[in-house]
Amino acid sequence: LGEMLERKPAQLSGGQRQRVAMGRAIVRQPKAYLMDEPLSNLDAKLRVGMRASLAQLHQQLGTTTVYVTHDQVEAMTLGQRVAVMRDGRILQVDVPQRLYEQPRNLFVAGFIGSPAMNLVDATLDGDEVVFGEFRVALDPGRRPSRADGTGVVLGIRPESFEDAAFAAREIPTIDVRVVVLEELGSDAHVFFRVDT
């Protein structure tokens, strides 16, 4: 903030004002911080740097912080415990990784993760979930306690898919029709349709 000391508030950008306000709050050394979307006015590059700075600052200060955000990346990277809310109700509170791996309901499952989890209607058949003409084996111990033929929703994270042509092991395959391919440098997002 050093280069901003001689400026008047009107000469600061929204992001600079936000950083000054955070600095003013931090120097007071309160017992707890309430941060309501503190990085929302920052550009993408500065947001990444400030997120890392906030994480480091939280480790140094050890002060309880309630951090409100709509940005999943901020919540998952800064939160030690994350509360997912919808319509003023708390749906699940947990450590970030458990929210991701064991969502308690469909909203949390579809909300946490980017790109979002793929959710399809399916039915139970023994140790498999069936949707359309496809069958997916359930992990041992993960079968819901419901009768065969019961309708369920199957959730598959995007990173669970891989190109069968390049797979190092024998995996179940599903023919898909690619609709959109987004190249992101080190990653690519493939949007596809499954004809069931």
Side-chain angles (χ1 to χ4, degrees):
L1 298 174
E3 73 273 6
M4 300 176 203
L5 291 176
E6 301 303 320
R7 297 188 196 173
K8 302 268 188 227
Q11 296 172 306
L12 300 174
S13 69
Q16 289 169 332
R17 288 181 197 173
Q18 205 156 7
R19 285 182 282 160
V20 169
M22 287 174 59
R24 290 174 59 198
I26 289 166
V27 297
R28 292 184 178 152
Q29 299 179 331
K31 291 188 168 105
Y33 295 106
L34 172 58
M35 296 189 180
D36 187 3
E37 306 255 8
L39 306 182
S40 62
N41 288 335
L42 306 181
D43 62 52
K45 184 177 180 182
L46 187 53
R47 184 179 296 192
V48 170
M50 285 297 292
R51 195 171 61 226
S53 295
L54 281 175
Q56 187 178 23
L57 192 61
H58 183 258
Q59 285 179 343
Q60 289 172 354
L61 299 174
T63 305
T64 298
T65 304
V66 177
Y67 192 102
V68 179
T69 183
H70 289 88
D71 186 313
Q72 258 187 64
V73 174
E74 287 176 29
M76 298 294 276
T77 56
L78 292 173
Q80 294 171 337
R81 291 185 57 77
V82 176
V84 177
M85 297 181 71
R86 181 179 188 195
D87 298 329
R89 292 182 49 230
I90 295 175
L91 301 180
Q92 186 173 351
V93 179
D94 220 321
V95 296
Q97 197 61 32
R98 197 167 302 126
L99 283 176
Y100 185 80
E101 293 173 354
Q102 298 172 13
R104 286 201 188 137
N105 59 49
L106 288 177
F107 180 81
V108 176
F111 182 73
I112 298 293
S114 180
M117 180 185 282
N118 299 280
L119 300 170
V120 295
D121 291 323
T123 56
L124 289 176
D125 184 16
D127 291 330
E128 295 178 319
V129 175
V130 180
F131 64 104
E133 58 190 61
F134 305 104
R135 301 176 89 73
V136 177
L138 291 168
D139 289 337
R142 295 292 298 257
R143 187 186 195 285
S145 57
R146 296 183 180 146
D148 284 355
T150 302
V152 294
V153 176
L154 172 65
I156 305 172
R157 292 276 179 207
E159 62 273 13
S160 296
F161 289 95
E162 57 185 286
D163 189 331
F166 299 106
R169 56 188 164 47
E170 185 68 29
I171 58 172
T173 61
I174 298 174
D175 290 329
V176 301
R177 185 166 32 97
V178 174
V179 178
V180 174
L181 174 63
E182 292 180 341
E183 293 286 352
L184 302 172
S186 62
D187 293 320
H189 293 169
V190 180
F191 296 84
F192 58 82
R193 295 185 64 81
V194 176
D195 297 319
T196 58

